Amino acid sequence: MSRIPAALRQLLLRLHFYAGILIAPFLLVSALTGLAYALSYPLEDYLYQDLKTVDPGGEPLTLADQVAAVSAAHPDWTVTAVRPPAEAGDSTGVLVDDGAVRESGAVAIVYVDPYTGEVLGDSTTYGSSQAGPVREWISTLHRSLHLGEPGRLYSELAASWLWVVALGGLVLWIARKRRNGGFWRPKPEGRGRGRTLAWHGPVGLWLVIVLLFLSVTGLTWSRYAGENVSQLREALDWTTPSLTVAEGGSDAHAEHQHSGSSGSSVFAVTLLDGVYAAALDAGMSGPVQIALPSGSGSEYLVTGQQRSLPLQQDQVVVDTASGAPEVTEELRFADWPVMAQATNVAIALHMGLLFGLANQILLAAAMIALVCIIVWGYRMWWQRRPRGALVGRPYPRGGLRRLPWPLIAVVVAVAAGVGWFFPLLGISLAVFVIADVAVGLWKRAERPPADGDDEPSVTRRTALATATLAAAVGAGVGKALGSGSHDDGEAGHEHEASAVEPFFGERQAGIATPAQAHALFAAFDLAATDLASGEALDAAAVAANLEALLRDWSATAAALAAGEAPPKAAVDGPDQFDAEAVAAGLDPARLTVTFGIGPAAFAKAGLEAARPSKLAELPEFDGDKLNPAWSGGDLLLQICGDDQQVVSGAFLELRKRAVGLGTLLWVQQGFSSAPSGGTPRNLMGFKDGSANPEAGGALFDERVWAVDSEPSWFEGGTYQVFRKIRMRLPDWSALSAEDQNLTFGRDRDSGAPLSGGGEFDHPDFEVLDASGLPAVPADAHVAVVHDAAMVRRGFNYDYGFLTQGDVSSDAADDGHLDGHMHAEHPYDAGLLFVSFQADPQVFIDAQEKMAAGDRLTEFITAEGSGVYAVPPGASDGGFVGEGLFRS
């Protein structure tokens, strides 16, 4: 061989070796779970045949009658879509919203005998592949090991490396010299590693096309590389087209329907048969799904559900506004862009749908073969071990430095491009290179090369080439860290939706929810006068406005948290700015909206009898310098999310709905950055929230939820305290690290109490330091407030240098209020303190202790304050605070 191919082969051997040793475990898990997924199709057909198949007999009932049978059996479930039977022996599937939120996004489905109307039972389904519970569970295992978003990284790492390992192995097998054939089929001879390789190579050769296909299509569902694939598809117009229907608003009868205002009406169900007939007349055939309109809408979306050959992915919109069903829009699979068609076919093939059982058998066989290749690879590693060693040695280094500079430049350019497009591959390859260089340097430092040693010393050329390659493949690091989560819209290989925190539930979100990166707090006062007439409102009118506002806010927040378009606001017009555009195209980013009601709101609305007795305005504590423009409020919105744009968009949507019902009093914005699995730090550099109990635990529940509340509507709610606390950071930064630690009573870096132990250990106030004094001073912050039964959920803020005291308020004309600190400390940064507790007296007691003797008060000043009753969560279709108006 010439020098260049030999050097390339050595480089490929080393890369193939490291990938096989370190990435093969991920490939093995992916292969085993992929095998289970391929076998889940016949298994699921067998397990659920009593639900999906019936004995044909007579004329089938109308679809409306079949849906009515489901509604009678499950009156509290919302009917959302219907899957008419495609064959005479198939049952009818009625998709419903049962209020459950599932990991994969699957929805409930009820099966009906189309001939008798008997409800056969219910299950779950997801995607156009109509996966049931077994396949849904195995699919999630294959995709993320049921570990959520972090688990998706394993499958992306496997898919990113699969094509590299397959192509590298192919090149090495083609370039290998062999005397007795054995290229196309296994020809094992002799013993040891050569015999194992005789199986490993040919099987990999026959499998390489399948592995490349699975790698490419699998990456479309990945998080980081998948985002690049999605962008490429959009740029080349390869995206899958689809039709949309107009959403119906709520109507006067919405509350009398089991499905709520967002469900379909009884009248919409009665038109199902006519809609189905119109779709069949328009050429729809095979299995279809009919999505019912919501509310007062009149448009039905009929979608072809067949993913096997011939694919039937047509869509039509049937409108009933004129009284008779009429097809108004059509989208045929034949009219899709060619690459969109190819992508859809490829995905169906990857999922085992395109050729039915034959497809599934092919995938299962491929996964078994991949498992064998991986096992043979590890066996060859073991067989390559030196005498007396437990494991084999890697192939020798030095391939890269023996390449000429032009070829090194090509390798670096390719590595950089691959590292950018496949970020996890780039990151892991960078780690391989850096670790390999470090090991090489360490070994050479241990044994300096002797005269005549075949392995040359580290040259400038070697170091430069290796460092350049490491930097190039590390391009994936920045790409991955700067990338948002990606979710391809293709159904079937049931991937997670973008991060969503459910709005509806027993408790409001944003309390036990893991803290997000951004927060916005907005306080409103209820309107005292009518917007149109200017006349004063009586208590009943204020209460009606409060109820309307909470109802509208809840519906809006629920839609935004789910990543859906919110219902139109009363002030919206066709030519007015639409706040939806602010966050258009963005993921929900774990958006939560939490509502609180201030003490004064109950009196204004004539609801004093329903006010929780522990809810009273907070006093102004010693050391406070409260600005009225930043304090109080009848209502508090806490809007949190991992994307500032999403948070701002949600605020704009919610604020415009307060027009005529309430007035914006003040706004504060904060941020929080926590290391993975760690505690966030405040702007003083100390960990904030180390004493919080684990969310969902008994201690958390005891501290937070007002379970023994005297008004029944508030049981399960909590009390929220908000404080804007400015920090004297210039003075604080002048302290030594020791003085800072003594002020908090904790070690700044570790968060551990100065008495010893770990961050989450309780401080021991009996422990003495080397000088014989208490290790945790009695006036240290942790000593003063360590027993406060509350849960903190604060956010940092940094507004910079102020030119006006009330930059975050619409209320005051002049922020330079008497006694305020702006002239002395014009830089405004600190903490937006938030605590939740079952009794606000807990906070008051802790604050009074701090005012009496806490070192920390020398460096902080409260400039805003408020306390609010946070009602329990809303049931699906209801609104937060609904019980207040029913009590």
Side-chain angles (χ1 to χ4, degrees):
M1 283 188 181
S2 65
R3 181 168 173 262
I4 291 179
L8 278 175
R9 183 175 183 274
Q10 183 178 350
L11 185 63
L12 282 174
L13 277 170
R14 194 165 179 84
L15 177 63
H16 192 70
F17 168 83
Y18 273 120
I21 297 301
L22 302 175
I23 302 299
F26 298 94
L27 294 175
L28 182 61
V29 173
S30 185
L32 291 174
T33 56
L35 173 62
Y37 184 82
L39 299 177
S40 67
Y41 283 87
L43 175 62
E44 199 167 68
D45 289 341
Y46 172 77
L47 292 176
Y48 297 101
Q49 59 182 340
D50 59 332
L51 294 180
K52 296 183 178 182
T53 59
V54 297
D55 294 324
E59 284 294 320
L61 301 175
T62 64
L63 291 178
D65 288 340
Q66 296 176 53
V67 173
V70 172
S71 297
H74 302 284
D76 296 326
W77 291 0
T78 303
V79 175
T80 59
V82 177
R83 292 173 181 167
E87 304 290 342
D90 293 342
S91 61
T92 300
V94 180
L95 278 69
V96 296
D97 182 3
D98 63 349
V101 179
R102 298 171 178 86
E103 180 184 4
S104 65
V107 299
I109 183 171
V110 181
Y111 293 96
V112 186
D113 188 325
Y115 302 97
T116 65
E118 177 189 1
V119 174
L120 304 175
D122 61 88
S123 183
T124 60
T125 183
Y126 182 69
S128 57
S129 70
Q130 302 182 13
V134 172
R135 190 147 46 93
E136 173 199 350
W137 190 91
I138 295 177
S139 173
T140 306
L141 179 69
H142 178 59
R143 184 183 64 253
S144 66
L145 302 179
H146 290 277
L147 297 176
E149 195 66 24
R152 292 180 63 189
L153 300 182
Y154 114 85
S155 57
E156 179 171 353
L157 192 64
S160 298
W161 274 97
L162 183 57
W163 68 273
V164 177
V165 175
L167 286 180
L170 176 65
V171 173
L172 292 172
W173 186 246
I174 292 174
R176 182 177 177 80
K177 292 182 178 180
R178 48 186 69 79
R179 291 175 295 180
N180 300 317
F183 179 78
W184 293 105
R185 63 182 179 85
K187 194 174 181 180
E189 296 178 349
R191 54 187 299 179
R193 179 177 172 275
R195 187 178 184 88
T196 307
L197 181 60
W199 284 99
H200 181 87
V203 174
L205 178 68
W206 284 102
L207 196 60
V208 67
I209 298 298
V210 177
L211 297 182
L212 291 176
F213 170 80
L214 294 176
S215 175
V216 171
T217 53
L219 284 169
T220 62
W221 289 293
S222 65
R223 179 178 180 183
Y224 299 109
E227 182 177 349
N228 289 332
V229 173
S230 179
Q231 292 173 354
L232 179 64
R233 291 179 62 191
E234 290 179 4
L236 298 177
D237 195 25
W238 292 356
T239 56
T240 302
S242 62
L243 298 178
T244 57
V245 295
E247 300 240 348
S250 59
D251 54 39
H253 304 287
E255 292 186 1
H256 299 287
Q257 302 165 10
H258 72 272
S259 57
S261 61
S262 61
S264 56
S265 66
V266 175
F267 179 70
V269 173
T270 63
L271 298 177
L272 266 173
D273 295 272
V275 170
Y276 187 33
L280 294 178
D281 291 339
M284 297 291 290
S285 60
V288 299
Q289 176 172 300
I290 308 172
L292 277 70
S294 61
S296 58
S298 61
E299 293 183 340
Y300 298 71
L301 180 63
V302 184
T303 306
Q305 298 284 289
Q306 183 164 304
R307 302 294 297 274
S308 59
L309 286 177
L311 274 72
Q312 295 173 349
Q313 299 287 286
D314 297 348
Q315 291 183 328
V316 297
V317 175
V318 180
D319 195 350
T320 60
S322 63
E326 177 183 8
V327 175
T328 57
E329 287 186 85
E330 298 182 13
L331 177 62
R332 302 297 178 179
F333 180 77
D335 297 328
W336 289 14
V338 173
M339 290 307 300
Q341 293 178 343
T343 300
N344 197 273
V345 170
I347 289 173
L349 183 60
H350 182 113
M351 293 164 52
L353 294 169
L354 191 63
F355 301 112
L357 182 60
N359 196 164
Q360 295 147 26
I361 293 174
L362 174 64
L363 289 176
M367 293 301 97
I368 293 173
L370 179 56
V371 170
C372 291
I373 289 175
I374 295 171
V375 172
W376 289 328
Y378 275 108
R379 177 174 172 79
M380 286 191 293
W381 179 41
W382 183 76
Q383 290 173 328
R384 184 180 164 81
R385 72 194 188 283
R387 184 182 299 273
L390 293 177
V391 295
R393 59 179 181 268
Y395 287 91
R397 60 174 55 85
L400 179 62
R401 68 167 173 261
R402 285 200 288 270
L403 295 177
W405 278 110
L407 197 52
I408 289 178
V410 172
V411 171
V412 169
V414 171
V418 168
W420 177 86
F421 199 87
F422 307 98
L424 291 190
L425 188 153
I427 293 170
S428 54
L429 184 55
V431 172
F432 290 176
V433 172
I434 294 170
D436 193 50
V437 171
V439 170
L441 294 176
W442 174 66
K443 287 185 176 180
R444 290 179 186 180
E446 277 193 329
R447 181 184 60 84
D451 293 339
D453 196 335
D454 291 336
E455 189 165 334
S457 61
V458 181
T459 64
R460 178 174 178 270
R461 172 178 170 144
T462 300
L464 179 60
T466 305
T468 304
L469 178 60
V473 297
V477 175
K479 179 66 179 177
L481 295 179
S483 173
S485 62
H486 163 75
D487 287 285
D488 196 294
E490 299 292 343
H493 208 42
E494 294 79 11
H495 59 281
E496 297 170 353
S498 57
V500 172
E501 296 290 348
F503 176 82
F504 296 110
E506 183 180 1
R507 319 283 194 190
Q508 287 199 62
I511 302 171
T513 307
Q516 298 98 317
H518 302 279
L520 184 148
F521 300 88
F524 293 79
D525 272 348
L526 292 170
T529 58
D530 182 74
L531 181 65
S533 65
E535 296 180 356
L537 298 174
D538 59 17
V542 174
N545 285 348
L546 175 60
E547 180 178 4
L549 186 55
L550 290 175
R551 185 189 299 274
D552 197 2
W553 273 355
S554 295
T556 302
L560 294 174
E564 301 171 354
K568 292 297 182 182
V571 298
D572 281 340
D575 298 326
Q576 290 179 317
F577 167 71
D578 191 345
E580 294 175 25
V582 174
L586 298 179
D587 293 332
R590 295 202 306 123
L591 178 73
T592 59
V593 182
T594 312
F595 305 144
I597 306 175
F602 292 90
K604 293 180 180 179
L607 299 171
E608 273 290 341
R611 179 175 65 87
S613 63
K614 298 173 184 177
L615 181 66
E617 297 289 358
L618 295 177
E620 184 164 350
F621 302 98
D622 290 344
D624 286 0
K625 292 186 178 180
L626 300 181
N627 186 336
W630 293 343
S631 301
D634 295 334
L635 293 169
L636 179 69
L637 287 178
Q638 173 189 283
I639 309 172
C640 302
D642 287 329
D643 188 322
Q644 180 64 59
Q645 187 88 352
V646 172
V647 171
S648 295
F651 168 66
L652 293 174
E653 280 288 351
L654 294 165
R655 179 182 180 178
K656 72 178 181 180
R657 284 166 167 77
V659 173
L661 306 178
T663 304
L664 180 64
L665 185 60
W666 53 260
V667 173
Q668 302 287 342
Q669 297 188 67
F671 55 89
S672 176
S673 298
S676 178
T679 308
R681 294 182 182 272
N682 58 35
L683 296 186
M684 288 179 164
F686 280 75
K687 295 188 175 185
D688 198 312
S690 299
N692 282 343
E694 183 178 359
L699 183 57
F700 183 96
D701 293 346
E702 179 183 340
R703 289 187 176 187
V704 174
W705 308 119
V707 294
D708 59 348
S709 174
E710 59 279 358
S712 59
W713 72 270
F714 188 62
E715 184 172 343
T718 185
Y719 294 91
Q720 180 177 13
V721 170
F722 176 88
R723 304 267 285 176
K724 177 182 182 290
I725 300 175
R726 182 184 293 204
M727 295 176 173
R728 294 185 175 91
L729 294 179
D731 296 342
W732 177 255
S733 63
L735 291 182
S736 66
E738 180 182 8
D739 285 339
Q740 290 183 352
N741 288 347
L742 290 173
T743 300
F744 271 94
R746 291 183 178 272
D747 178 74
R748 180 183 62 189
D749 296 332
S750 67
L754 297 182
S755 56
E759 176 189 351
F760 304 107
D761 290 334
H762 194 280
D764 187 344
F765 301 108
E766 302 299 323
V767 173
L768 303 180
D769 61 16
S771 63
L773 297 175
V776 179
D779 58 352
H781 182 61
V782 69
V784 175
V785 301
H786 72 279
D787 58 350
M790 65 176 70
V791 169
R792 301 164 57 103
R793 200 174 189 272
F795 292 83
N796 300 317
Y797 77 89
D798 189 342
Y799 297 149
F801 286 94
L802 300 182
T803 56
Q804 179 182 344
D806 57 327
V807 290
S808 56
S809 170
D810 292 346
D813 295 327
D814 181 8
H816 296 83
L817 303 178
D818 293 340
H820 213 48
M821 299 171 52
H822 294 168
E824 180 183 358
H825 295 285
Y827 196 89
D828 192 6
L831 178 70
L832 302 180
F833 174 93
V834 176
S835 67
F836 294 96
Q837 49 272 304
D839 187 345
Q841 189 62 42
V842 169
F843 171 81
I844 295 174
D845 292 344
Q847 191 63 39
E848 289 178 343
K849 289 180 182 179
M850 287 183 62
D854 188 329
R855 292 191 188 191
L856 187 60
T857 57
E858 181 182 347
F859 303 97
I860 60 175
T861 300
E863 298 182 334
S865 183
V867 61
Y868 309 88
V870 178
S875 59
D876 195 1
F879 64 94
V880 172
E882 186 172 4
L884 173 62
F885 305 96
R886 307 290 181 262
S887 60

